[in-house]
Amino acid sequence: MIRVLVLNSKGGSGKTTVATNLASLLALRGSVLLADLDPQHSSSTWVERRSEQLPKLSVMADADRDFRDYPPSDFVVFDAPAGLKKRRLEDMLDEVGALLVPIGPSSFDMDASRLFLEKLDEIKRFRKGKVRMGVIANRVNARTKGGQQLQMFLADLQLPVVATLRDSQLYVRAAQQGAGIADLRTTETRAELPQWAQILRFVMEGGHGARA
């Protein structure tokens, strides 16, 4: 079993976009459980909109459930809420092998992400390298000042950037359909798929959790 946590303490960083698109991509490879832990339940709503013609995946929206009691699946993707308390974060990190941290290009995103990364360093399992972290630069327009500042921010902190996702309306349209990038026509997604291939490779190489 491969378990991956998508998390950033900053609301609006793109966690659900990353989690749902990753889940749709993994559904091409096996059974997927999308664990919707966010009180807004955006991932659950996305699954409800999903066409029966698309690869199937399951969703669970019980934020208080013990992670050890989740039904067996080839892949579990945790869409976590912002502002997790330290103990709950420790529990989650005990159950996953990979952590994806989306960071947006605004100064608010970068400031909040810096504090979140400092919080992560206080957790023993993370500090000892038992959970692989990969950063996703999200909603990036390389031609804007914000996009350039984000790249500098990530480089200065020497963060492991797994992928850079463009600020594209494709993600908005896919979400409205309960779909992911992997479900859309290849001609539309040609520019996006190489970045998702990098995310998939990262997850497959290091997503085995403590109880895999």
Side-chain angles (χ1 to χ4, degrees):
M1 180 187 296
I2 289 180
R3 291 184 165 197
V4 55
L5 171 62
V6 183
L7 176 63
N8 189 325
S9 62
K10 171 69 169 62
S13 62
K15 296 184 296 293
T16 298
T17 296
V18 171
T20 53
N21 277 275
L22 176 59
S24 69
L25 187 60
L26 292 172
L28 298 172
R29 291 174 168 255
S31 59
V32 176
L33 174 63
L34 180 56
D36 184 1
L37 308 182
D38 196 311
Q40 297 179 357
H41 296 317
S42 298
S43 289
S44 299
T45 303
W46 174 82
V47 172
E48 291 173 1
R49 290 196 294 264
R50 192 166 175 82
S51 168
E52 293 183 358
Q53 298 177 346
L54 295 176
K56 296 185 182 302
L57 50 86
S58 303
V59 65
M60 181 174 291
D62 186 353
D64 297 322
R65 185 164 181 163
D66 190 316
F67 301 124
R68 293 169 292 185
D69 293 337
Y70 276 46
S73 301
D74 296 323
F75 307 99
V76 181
V77 179
F78 294 94
D79 181 9
L84 273 178
K85 292 184 178 180
K86 183 179 179 181
R87 181 58 192 166
R88 188 60 167 166
L89 178 55
E90 289 175 338
D91 290 344
M92 295 184 75
L93 291 176
D94 278 344
E95 298 300 327
V96 302
L99 168 66
L100 290 173
V101 181
I103 301 179
S106 77
S107 58
F108 299 112
D109 284 284
M110 289 181 271
D111 290 343
S113 296
R114 188 189 299 272
L115 293 175
F116 170 64
L117 293 168
E118 291 174 356
K119 181 179 179 181
L120 276 179
D121 277 336
E122 298 174 0
I123 297 176
K124 184 177 180 180
R125 176 172 166 80
F126 178 80
R127 190 172 60 248
K128 289 192 171 184
K130 294 184 178 180
V131 179
R132 294 177 67 235
M133 183 185 75
V135 170
I136 297 176
N138 196 29
R139 296 193 300 271
V140 174
N141 184 336
R143 294 174 295 181
T144 65
K145 186 175 181 180
Q148 295 167 3
Q149 289 178 333
L150 176 58
Q151 299 295 346
M152 292 173 59
F153 169 80
L154 298 175
D156 287 344
L157 293 183
Q158 298 182 331
L159 294 174
V161 180
V162 175
T164 300
L165 303 181
R166 295 191 308 157
D167 186 11
S168 170
Q169 286 298 305
L170 276 177
Y171 294 103
V172 176
R173 183 156 59 83
Q176 292 170 343
Q177 301 173 18
I181 287 293
D183 302 315
L184 301 180
R185 292 179 297 181
T186 305
T187 53
E188 297 177 297
T189 61
R190 187 174 291 119
E192 315 301 327
L193 288 177
Q195 297 299 315
W196 283 100
Q198 293 176 194
I199 295 172
L200 179 62
R201 189 177 307 115
F202 174 84
V203 167
M204 298 298 289
E205 289 175 354
H208 292 280
R211 304 179 191 278

